[in-house]
Amino acid sequence: MPNPRADFVPLPDRPALHLPRGARVAVILVMNVEQNEFDQHVGRPLSPQPPGRERLPDIPNFSWFEYGLRSGFWRVLNATRKLNVPMTMALNGSVCDAYPQVARAAFDAGWDAVGHGYHQRPMPAVDDETAEISRALDTIEAFSGTRPLGWLGPGLGETADTPERLVDEGVEFVLDWVNDDQPYELKVANGRLFSVPYSLELNDIGVYIRLGHPGPSMLERVHDHLTTLLNDEPETARVMSIGLHPFIVGQPHRFPYFVKMLELIMNTPGAIPMTATEVYRWYREQAG
Protein backbone atom coordinates (compact mmCIF):
# COMPACT_ATOMS: atom_id res chain seq x y z
CA MET A 1 0.00 0.00 0.00
CA PRO A 2 1.19 3.58 -0.53
CA ASN A 3 1.98 5.92 2.36
CA PRO A 4 -1.34 6.32 4.20
CA ARG A 5 -0.20 9.37 6.15
CA ALA A 6 0.86 11.74 3.37
CA ASP A 7 -0.01 12.70 -0.19
CA PHE A 8 2.90 12.37 -2.59
CA VAL A 9 3.88 15.87 -3.69
CA PRO A 10 7.40 16.02 -5.20
CA LEU A 11 9.47 18.89 -3.87
CA PRO A 12 9.71 20.66 -7.28
CA ASP A 13 5.90 20.83 -7.43
CA ARG A 14 5.55 22.76 -4.18
CA PRO A 15 5.38 26.53 -3.63
CA ALA A 16 8.73 28.09 -2.72
CA LEU A 17 9.45 28.49 0.99
CA HIS A 18 11.56 31.33 2.40
CA LEU A 19 13.58 31.21 5.61
CA PRO A 20 14.43 34.19 7.84
CA ARG A 21 17.42 36.36 6.90
CA GLY A 22 17.46 35.00 3.37
CA ALA A 23 18.84 31.62 4.50
CA ARG A 24 18.57 28.53 2.32
CA VAL A 25 18.85 25.80 4.98
CA ALA A 26 17.45 25.56 8.49
CA VAL A 27 19.56 23.27 10.68
CA ILE A 28 17.96 21.50 13.66
CA LEU A 29 20.29 19.93 16.22
CA VAL A 30 18.32 17.31 18.17
CA MET A 31 20.01 16.04 21.34
CA ASN A 32 18.28 12.88 22.56
CA VAL A 33 18.27 13.15 26.35
CA GLU A 34 17.16 9.74 27.54
CA GLN A 35 17.07 7.42 30.53
CA ASN A 36 17.88 3.75 30.28
CA GLU A 37 16.43 1.75 33.18
CA PHE A 38 18.85 -0.28 35.27
CA ASP A 39 16.63 -3.38 35.20
CA GLN A 40 16.05 -3.31 31.42
CA HIS A 41 18.21 -4.20 28.45
CA VAL A 42 19.92 -1.33 26.65
CA GLY A 43 18.31 -0.90 23.24
CA ARG A 44 21.57 -0.14 21.43
CA PRO A 45 24.29 -2.09 23.28
CA LEU A 46 27.93 -1.32 22.58
CA SER A 47 29.07 -4.47 24.36
CA PRO A 48 26.75 -7.33 23.27
CA GLN A 49 26.22 -10.19 25.68
CA PRO A 50 26.56 -13.80 24.47
CA PRO A 51 23.41 -14.80 22.51
CA GLY A 52 20.94 -16.67 24.66
CA ARG A 53 22.85 -15.77 27.85
CA GLU A 54 21.78 -12.14 28.33
CA ARG A 55 21.84 -11.09 31.98
CA LEU A 56 20.52 -8.21 34.02
CA PRO A 57 21.78 -5.91 35.29
CA ASP A 58 23.83 -5.15 32.19
CA ILE A 59 26.52 -3.05 33.85
CA PRO A 60 28.76 -2.30 30.82
CA ASN A 61 25.97 -1.03 28.60
CA PHE A 62 23.93 0.68 31.30
CA SER A 63 26.96 2.59 32.55
CA TRP A 64 28.05 3.48 28.98
CA PHE A 65 24.60 4.97 28.43
CA GLU A 66 24.62 6.79 31.77
CA TYR A 67 28.01 8.33 30.96
CA GLY A 68 26.10 10.67 28.68
CA LEU A 69 24.14 12.07 31.61
CA ARG A 70 26.94 12.12 34.16
CA SER A 71 29.66 13.57 31.91
CA GLY A 72 28.93 13.85 28.20
CA PHE A 73 25.87 16.08 28.52
CA TRP A 74 27.75 18.74 30.46
CA ARG A 75 30.54 18.85 27.88
CA VAL A 76 27.93 19.30 25.15
CA LEU A 77 26.01 21.90 27.14
CA ASN A 78 29.10 24.06 27.67
CA ALA A 79 29.99 23.97 23.97
CA THR A 80 26.51 24.93 22.81
CA ARG A 81 26.42 27.78 25.34
CA LYS A 82 29.78 29.17 24.22
CA LEU A 83 28.76 29.11 20.56
CA ASN A 84 25.18 30.23 21.27
CA VAL A 85 23.70 27.32 19.32
CA PRO A 86 19.91 26.82 19.59
CA MET A 87 19.27 23.23 20.65
CA THR A 88 16.29 20.89 20.62
CA MET A 89 16.19 17.99 23.05
CA ALA A 90 14.09 14.91 22.55
CA LEU A 91 13.38 14.31 26.22
CA ASN A 92 12.29 11.17 28.01
CA GLY A 93 9.88 12.34 30.70
CA SER A 94 11.62 10.05 33.18
CA VAL A 95 14.80 12.17 32.94
CA CYS A 96 12.93 14.91 34.80
CA ASP A 97 12.41 12.46 37.67
CA ALA A 98 15.61 10.39 37.63
CA TYR A 99 18.14 13.02 36.45
CA PRO A 100 16.50 16.35 37.25
CA GLN A 101 19.81 18.28 37.23
CA VAL A 102 20.23 17.42 33.55
CA ALA A 103 16.72 18.48 32.56
CA ARG A 104 16.95 21.67 34.63
CA ALA A 105 20.29 22.68 33.12
CA ALA A 106 18.95 22.18 29.60
CA PHE A 107 15.81 24.20 30.24
CA ASP A 108 17.81 26.92 31.99
CA ALA A 109 20.01 27.11 28.88
CA GLY A 110 16.90 27.69 26.76
CA TRP A 111 16.80 24.33 25.00
CA ASP A 112 13.61 23.53 23.11
CA ALA A 113 11.95 20.26 24.17
CA VAL A 114 9.94 17.70 22.25
CA GLY A 115 8.39 14.69 23.94
CA HIS A 116 10.28 11.41 23.56
CA GLY A 117 8.22 8.94 25.55
CA TYR A 118 8.37 8.62 29.31
CA HIS A 119 10.93 5.83 29.20
CA GLN A 120 13.18 5.00 26.25
CA ARG A 121 10.71 2.43 24.94
CA PRO A 122 9.17 2.43 21.42
CA MET A 123 5.42 2.99 21.29
CA PRO A 124 4.68 -0.49 19.87
CA ALA A 125 6.36 -1.97 22.97
CA VAL A 126 4.37 -0.14 25.67
CA ASP A 127 1.23 -1.60 27.25
CA ASP A 128 -0.84 1.60 27.16
CA GLU A 129 0.27 4.03 24.47
CA THR A 130 -2.14 6.79 25.42
CA ALA A 131 -1.03 6.69 29.05
CA GLU A 132 2.65 6.68 28.04
CA ILE A 133 2.25 9.74 25.81
CA SER A 134 0.23 11.58 28.42
CA ARG A 135 2.69 10.72 31.21
CA ALA A 136 5.65 11.93 29.16
CA LEU A 137 4.08 15.25 28.20
CA ASP A 138 2.53 15.86 31.62
CA THR A 139 5.87 15.24 33.35
CA ILE A 140 7.77 17.61 31.06
CA GLU A 141 5.08 20.27 31.41
CA ALA A 142 5.06 20.00 35.22
CA PHE A 143 8.86 20.24 35.32
CA SER A 144 9.39 23.04 32.79
CA GLY A 145 6.09 24.93 32.83
CA THR A 146 5.60 24.39 29.08
CA ARG A 147 3.91 21.51 27.30
CA PRO A 148 5.89 20.38 24.24
CA LEU A 149 4.25 20.92 20.87
CA GLY A 150 6.49 18.31 19.25
CA TRP A 151 7.22 14.61 19.56
CA LEU A 152 9.98 12.23 18.51
CA GLY A 153 9.02 8.64 19.23
CA PRO A 154 11.65 6.52 20.99
CA GLY A 155 13.34 4.69 18.14
CA LEU A 156 10.99 6.72 15.86
CA GLY A 157 8.44 4.00 16.62
CA GLU A 158 4.74 4.46 15.94
CA THR A 159 1.71 2.21 16.02
CA ALA A 160 -1.12 2.63 13.53
CA ASP A 161 -2.84 4.90 16.07
CA THR A 162 0.08 6.97 17.40
CA PRO A 163 -0.58 10.14 15.34
CA GLU A 164 -4.19 10.39 16.49
CA ARG A 165 -3.22 9.80 20.10
CA LEU A 166 -0.55 12.48 19.87
CA VAL A 167 -3.06 14.99 18.50
CA ASP A 168 -5.42 14.16 21.38
CA GLU A 169 -2.61 15.10 23.80
CA GLY A 170 -1.94 18.46 22.15
CA VAL A 171 1.02 17.49 19.96
CA GLU A 172 1.19 19.50 16.73
CA PHE A 173 4.26 18.07 14.98
CA VAL A 174 6.38 14.92 14.93
CA LEU A 175 9.94 14.11 13.84
CA ASP A 176 9.38 10.39 13.21
CA TRP A 177 9.20 10.64 9.41
CA VAL A 178 12.58 10.87 7.69
CA ASN A 179 11.28 11.12 4.12
CA ASP A 180 11.62 14.80 3.22
CA ASP A 181 13.77 17.94 3.32
CA GLN A 182 10.75 20.11 4.20
CA PRO A 183 7.93 19.93 6.73
CA TYR A 184 4.55 18.77 5.47
CA GLU A 185 1.10 17.92 6.81
CA LEU A 186 0.28 14.37 7.83
CA LYS A 187 -3.13 12.76 7.42
CA VAL A 188 -4.85 12.22 10.75
CA ALA A 189 -8.44 11.38 11.65
CA ASN A 190 -8.78 14.31 14.03
CA GLY A 191 -7.23 17.77 14.10
CA ARG A 192 -3.94 18.55 12.33
CA LEU A 193 -0.45 17.10 12.64
CA PHE A 194 2.73 18.06 10.79
CA SER A 195 6.00 16.32 10.04
CA VAL A 196 9.26 18.17 10.71
CA PRO A 197 12.34 16.53 9.14
CA TYR A 198 14.62 14.27 11.15
CA SER A 199 17.40 11.96 9.94
CA LEU A 200 18.76 8.45 10.29
CA GLU A 201 21.69 9.33 8.01
CA LEU A 202 22.88 12.39 9.97
CA ASN A 203 22.62 10.55 13.27
CA ASP A 204 25.47 9.67 15.60
CA ILE A 205 23.99 6.25 16.37
CA GLY A 206 24.03 5.26 12.73
CA VAL A 207 27.41 6.80 11.93
CA TYR A 208 29.40 5.90 15.03
CA ILE A 209 27.69 2.90 16.61
CA ARG A 210 26.02 0.93 13.81
CA LEU A 211 28.66 1.67 11.15
CA GLY A 212 31.64 2.17 13.45
CA HIS A 213 32.97 5.17 11.54
CA PRO A 214 35.78 7.28 13.06
CA GLY A 215 35.36 10.68 14.74
CA PRO A 216 35.75 12.93 11.66
CA SER A 217 33.08 11.08 9.67
CA MET A 218 30.10 12.86 11.24
CA LEU A 219 31.67 16.25 10.55
CA GLU A 220 32.32 15.22 6.93
CA ARG A 221 28.72 14.08 6.48
CA VAL A 222 27.34 17.30 7.92
CA HIS A 223 29.61 19.38 5.66
CA ASP A 224 28.66 17.46 2.50
CA HIS A 225 24.96 17.33 3.36
CA LEU A 226 24.82 21.06 4.08
CA THR A 227 26.77 21.94 0.92
CA THR A 228 24.36 19.92 -1.21
CA LEU A 229 21.24 21.50 0.28
CA LEU A 230 22.65 25.01 -0.05
CA ASN A 231 23.10 24.47 -3.79
CA ASP A 232 20.04 22.33 -4.47
CA GLU A 233 17.45 23.16 -7.11
CA PRO A 234 14.76 24.37 -7.15
CA GLU A 235 15.61 27.40 -5.02
CA THR A 236 13.44 26.86 -1.97
CA ALA A 237 14.13 26.39 1.73
CA ARG A 238 15.36 23.05 3.03
CA VAL A 239 15.52 21.66 6.58
CA MET A 240 18.48 19.63 7.80
CA SER A 241 18.18 17.72 11.09
CA ILE A 242 21.03 16.11 12.99
CA GLY A 243 20.32 13.40 15.56
CA LEU A 244 22.69 13.37 18.54
CA HIS A 245 23.13 11.62 21.89
CA PRO A 246 25.29 12.80 24.82
CA PHE A 247 26.69 9.32 25.45
CA ILE A 248 28.01 9.29 21.87
CA VAL A 249 29.12 12.78 20.79
CA GLY A 250 29.87 13.59 24.44
CA GLN A 251 32.69 11.02 24.45
CA PRO A 252 36.05 12.85 24.65
CA HIS A 253 37.43 11.28 21.47
CA ARG A 254 34.41 12.42 19.41
CA PHE A 255 33.73 15.72 21.13
CA PRO A 256 36.26 17.84 19.17
CA TYR A 257 34.47 16.92 15.95
CA PHE A 258 31.12 17.80 17.51
CA VAL A 259 32.47 21.27 18.31
CA LYS A 260 33.80 21.66 14.76
CA MET A 261 30.37 20.63 13.47
CA LEU A 262 28.72 23.36 15.56
CA GLU A 263 31.24 25.91 14.28
CA LEU A 264 30.60 24.85 10.70
CA ILE A 265 26.85 25.28 11.07
CA MET A 266 27.13 28.64 12.82
CA ASN A 267 29.63 30.04 10.31
CA THR A 268 28.21 28.84 6.99
CA PRO A 269 26.48 31.58 4.96
CA GLY A 270 22.95 30.55 4.03
CA ALA A 271 22.54 28.21 6.99
CA ILE A 272 20.40 29.21 9.95
CA PRO A 273 20.26 27.10 13.14
CA MET A 274 16.71 26.79 14.48
CA THR A 275 14.90 24.64 17.01
CA ALA A 276 12.34 22.07 15.90
CA THR A 277 9.53 24.19 17.32
CA GLU A 278 10.81 27.28 15.50
CA VAL A 279 10.88 25.35 12.22
CA TYR A 280 7.35 24.09 12.80
CA ARG A 281 6.03 27.58 13.53
CA TRP A 282 7.91 29.03 10.54
CA TYR A 283 6.40 26.40 8.24
CA ARG A 284 2.87 26.98 9.53
CA GLU A 285 3.27 30.68 8.77
CA GLN A 286 4.62 29.92 5.29
CA ALA A 287 2.13 27.21 4.35
CA GLY A 288 -0.96 28.51 6.15
Side-chain angles (χ1 to χ4, degrees), residues 100-118:
Q101 301 95 322
V102 171
R104 176 54 56 206
F107 281 118
D108 286 350
W111 286 22
D112 179 34
V114 299
H116 194 45
Y118 183 77

Side-chain angles (χ1 to χ4, degrees), residues 12 16 50 55 62 90 104 185 219 230 239:
R55 297 287 185 270
F62 171 83
R104 176 54 56 206
E185 187 163 4
L219 174 62
L230 286 169
V239 177

Side-chain angles (χ1 to χ4, degrees), residues 5-107:
R5 290 292 181 183
D7 293 326
F8 179 68
V9 183
L11 191 146
D13 295 346
R14 305 171 199 168
L17 299 176
H18 304 282
L19 284 162
R21 304 202 296 271
R24 287 286 302 271
V25 180
V27 183
I28 307 173
L29 291 131
V30 182
M31 189 64 62
N32 290 261
V33 182
E34 304 160 339
Q35 180 204 4
N36 198 82
E37 298 171 275
F38 185 71
D39 59 351
Q40 300 290 323
H41 289 289
V42 173
R44 298 173 291 266
L46 183 64
S47 177
Q49 298 188 38
R53 295 164 53 195
E54 293 88 354
R55 297 287 185 270
L56 289 173
D58 181 358
I59 300 301
N61 289 305
F62 171 83
S63 56
W64 170 62
F65 193 97
E66 195 180 42
Y67 177 91
L69 300 169
R70 297 174 68 92
S71 294
F73 167 82
W74 306 99
R75 195 172 286 130
V76 165
L77 180 69
N78 288 336
T80 58
R81 276 177 171 163
K82 288 177 182 177
L83 293 171
N84 198 28
V85 181
M87 295 293 294
T88 298
M89 63 174 163
L91 181 63
N92 285 166
S94 61
V95 172
C96 299
D97 297 328
Y99 300 92
Q101 301 95 322
V102 171
R104 176 54 56 206
F107 281 118

Side-chain angles (χ1 to χ4, degrees), residues 96 107 134-148:
C96 299
F107 281 118
S134 179
R135 186 183 185 190
L137 296 172
D138 288 350
T139 301
I140 295 170
E141 182 178 20
F143 188 89
S144 68
T146 302
R147 193 173 187 83

Side-chain angles (χ1 to χ4, degrees), residues 226-269:
L226 182 55
T227 300
T228 297
L229 293 186
L230 286 169
N231 294 283
D232 244 355
E233 298 294 340
E235 190 168 330
T236 183
R238 308 296 205 278
V239 177
M240 170 180 168
S241 282
I242 304 171
L244 303 162
H245 300 75
F247 66 97
I248 299 177
V249 293
Q251 295 285 345
H253 60 285
R254 297 192 189 102
F255 181 70
Y257 302 103
F258 171 73
V259 174
K260 290 178 182 179
M261 183 182 72
L262 298 181
E263 293 171 342
L264 171 68
I265 292 164
M266 297 298 289
N267 295 322
T268 297

Side-chain angles (χ1 to χ4, degrees), residues 160-190:
D161 301 316
T162 301
E164 282 75 22
R165 289 170 174 166
L166 290 170
V167 171
D168 288 343
E169 291 297 328
V171 171
E172 299 182 18
F173 70 91
V174 296
L175 296 106
D176 296 337
W177 296 77
V178 295
N179 56 357
D180 214 302
D181 291 325
Q182 293 181 337
Y184 63 88
E185 187 163 4
L186 292 161
K187 295 180 180 179
V188 288
N190 51 300

